[in-house]
Amino acid sequence: NFQFHKINPAAEKSFGISDYEITQKTLSELFPTESGEKLILALNRSLTEKKAIHFHVDLEFSSGKQFFAITLV
């Protein structure tokens, strides 16, 4: 159950979402799509396997779709 506690001002501007809008929301609430599920699975896999993983995901924000190349350590 991954929750957002804070988002920095640059991310707010880039993604078109305010800190207030995401505080205490889970990834599932913010990204209820296949891409969101992919992100959650990757986070869980990284924690379970206790190793770094690399993946790509497109996430929808009010400002539009954003592509992320993510490395979890």
Side-chain angles (χ1 to χ4, degrees):
N1 187 20
F2 301 98
Q3 278 188 327
F4 283 90
H5 294 279
K6 186 82 177 139
I7 185 172
N8 70 48
E12 286 181 284
K13 185 176 179 180
S14 177
F15 304 139
I17 190 168
S18 73
D19 182 63
Y20 177 78
E21 290 175 278
I22 70 156
T23 301
Q24 301 303 314
K25 290 193 177 167
T26 66
L27 286 174
S28 297
E29 291 172 317
L30 289 171
F31 308 112
T33 63
E34 184 178 327
S35 293
E37 290 176 26
K38 181 179 176 183
L39 176 57
I40 292 167
L41 288 172
L43 288 167
N44 281 320
R45 194 174 95 225
S46 179
L47 291 171
T48 301
E49 296 176 8
K50 296 181 181 174
K51 66 179 184 179
I53 61 168
H54 312 280
F55 68 101
H56 300 108
V57 65
D58 290 313
L59 296 173
E60 282 288 333
F61 293 90
S62 58
S63 61
K65 189 179 281 190
Q66 300 277 338
F67 174 79
F68 292 87
I70 300 173
T71 299
L72 300 169
V73 221

